[in-house]
Each structure stands twice: as C-alpha cells, then as structure tokens.
Amino acid sequence: MKLGVFDSGIGGLTVVKSLLEHELFEEIIYFGDTARVPYGIKDKNTIIRYAIEAVEFFKNFELDLIIVACNTVSAYALEEMRESSACPVIGVVESGVLATSNALKDKNSNILILGTKATVNSKAYETSLHKQGFVNLQAKATGLFVPMVEEGIYEGEILDATLKHYFKDLETPHAVILGCTHFPLISNAIQNYFGKDTILIHSGEAIVEHLEKEFTFETKYKNPKLKFFASENPEALRAVAKMWLNL
Ligand code: DGL
C-alpha cells in the first residue's frame, strides 16, 4: 500500500515512527505544512481549507490511503478531506478514542485530553468518548508544548515549569490522551509528572492498532520508500525526520 501522511508540521513524524516500527507500508509520502504551522490556533474554516489543499497535493501520487497525523485537522476537516479524496482518509482522533476504549475497562476512569486550543475547543474527543460511555473527562489546551517540541525542548527546566503551569490543579488521571502528534516527543516528561500508573495514549500507536483492526497486512516492509515534503524549508523537515526516525 502506498500511504500519504499529513500534518501541519513535523509532529506527524511521530506517527510515521510507529508505522515504520510495525513495517506496514511499502511507500510513505509525508507532507508537513511547515509554512503555516501551527494550525492549533487557527479557526475551523482555515483548517478545512488547508486540509483540502493537502488532499490536492496528494493527488500527484495515486495513494491507497491518507492518514491525517494531526489531531487538529482530524477534529475539524476529516469529512471534507474524505469528500475531496479519491482514496480513504483516516484520522488520529477516531484511533485515539478506540485505543483509549481498549485500554480502559472502567467507564468511570478519569481521562485527561491534551491538545491544541482548536482540538480542545472542537470537543471531538469528548463527543466520541461520551458515546463509548466514558463520563469522567477533562480537557486541557496545552499549545505551548507545540513550539517547545519544534524547538527541540524535550526535557529540562523550561518544560518542567510548563508542565507545572498546565497541570498543577489537576487530579492524577488514569489516562492521558496525547491529543497532538507533537506530544509523544515529551511523553517521558508527562509520564514522570503523573507517575507510572497513568496510561498515555499515543496517536501513532493508536493508528497502528486501528489499521491492524481494519485492514489485513500480509507483507512486512522492512525498507519502505520514504519521501518527505514540506510547504516551507523541506530540508529542515528532512533533517528532523532523519534524526527522529533514525534514517
Ligand atoms: N500536530 C498538530 C496536532 O496534532 C498540532 C500542531 C499545530 O498546532 O499545528 O494537533
């Protein structure tokens, strides 16, 4: 299968990392809209417009599937992307909900949803988790984590102070949904903050779980073809991809 992966920037590379670990695809075309990141502070219509432009970009590649490796886009523009795409489009929010529901047996579990301002305002996770019967939900927009990850800050004093700033008044949750594909890069710090009993839900792992449920993957691809595109400074994105994905 030939796959397209879309994110507003470099965050979606954390999803590519999970896909590569599971050796599911023969070819992966990644597109990061680095010229217009962050999406998480933009309004719904702008996010939809950018997402449809990404579908147009992918039309050059005859893909079998597009993964929206951005929670913000998945929360607002999935239907519109599906309408304008010739191949199926799946998003990380539905996968994250599925993974949460598989991980937590108790519907009273306290779930903390982290995301950009746009993702949190959309209530996409809450709406779907409520449908699954979960009642004890809290959501927190933690947008500052996005530029920090883009800056390569994955640990240390600044991150610790930011974690405290966002989380100091919260009860320790049973599960944290890392509802932004940038956040797995700081998952160690989040895990240390809440302690080892808190389960972290990661968009990349969630999408693999979802794909393996929906599709049959008969062949493993150890050395898939990878192509990385960006709307601005593609060399910088490729350098980050090389580092994060050990290419
Ligand atoms: N990686 C995007 C997400 O998962 C967020 C980054 C942004 O604000 O563009 O929501």
Side-chain angles (χ1 to χ4, degrees), residues 43-225:
D43 75 7
K44 181 179 174 181
N45 291 337
T46 306
I47 295 164
I48 291 174
R49 181 158 51 87
Y50 291 173
I52 290 173
E53 286 173 19
V55 174
E56 288 307 312
F57 170 79
F58 282 131
K59 284 185 180 159
N60 297 308
F61 301 97
E62 292 185 21
L63 300 175
D64 298 300
L65 178 70
I66 295 173
I67 290 179
V68 182
C70 176
N71 286 267
T72 310
V73 174
S74 301
Y76 284 100
L78 209 56
E79 281 317 310
E80 288 79 359
M81 289 181 79
R82 284 178 176 150
E83 278 162 24
S84 52
S85 169
C87 69
V89 180
I90 60 173
V92 281
V93 172
E94 49 185 332
S95 309
V97 170
L98 215 92
T100 308
S101 173
N102 290 338
L104 297 173
K105 295 296 155 245
D106 182 358
K107 299 291 183 196
N108 288 312
S109 302
N110 174 357
I111 303 173
L112 172 63
I113 302 147
L114 304 182
T116 63
K117 203 174 267 176
T119 300
V120 168
N121 286 345
S122 76
K123 298 204 181 293
Y125 275 105
E126 282 101 318
T127 308
S128 302
L129 286 166
H130 276 307
K131 284 190 192 142
Q132 300 281 333
F134 291 100
V135 287
N136 198 355
L137 311 176
Q138 49 184 338
K140 189 103 196 154
T142 54
L144 271 181
F145 292 151
V146 175
M148 290 174 77
V149 166
E150 298 262 339
E151 279 289 307
I153 299 172
Y154 311 138
E155 57 182 10
E157 263 173 57
I158 301 175
L159 180 58
D160 291 343
T162 314
L163 290 164
K164 202 162 155 204
H165 165 74
Y166 283 134
F167 300 151
K168 62 178 184 307
D169 298 324
L170 301 180
E171 267 176 57
T172 301
H174 295 114
V176 176
I177 297 181
L178 303 174
C180 171
T181 50
H182 283 67
F183 298 172
L185 271 302
I186 53 164
S187 62
N188 285 345
I190 296 175
Q191 189 79 69
N192 287 341
Y193 187 93
F194 288 118
K196 63 174 177 23
D197 292 337
T198 296
I199 298 167
L200 302 190
I201 305 290
H202 173 313
S203 295
E205 291 308 309
I207 208 110
V208 168
E209 204 176 314
H210 188 173
L211 287 169
E212 287 183 331
K213 193 165 160 261
E214 295 274 313
F215 301 94
T216 320
F217 293 92
E218 276 159 6
T219 318
K220 290 273 176 200
Y221 297 98
K222 282 204 176 314
N223 293 304
K225 266 193 238 161

Side-chain angles (χ1 to χ4, degrees), residues 10 13 17 149 152 154 185 237-247:
I10 57 176
L13 293 171
K17 193 175 176 79
V149 166
Y154 311 138
L185 271 302
L237 184 130
R238 284 182 197 123
V240 175
K242 238 178 159 174
M243 187 178 73
W244 285 3
L245 307 175
N246 302 318
L247 300 176

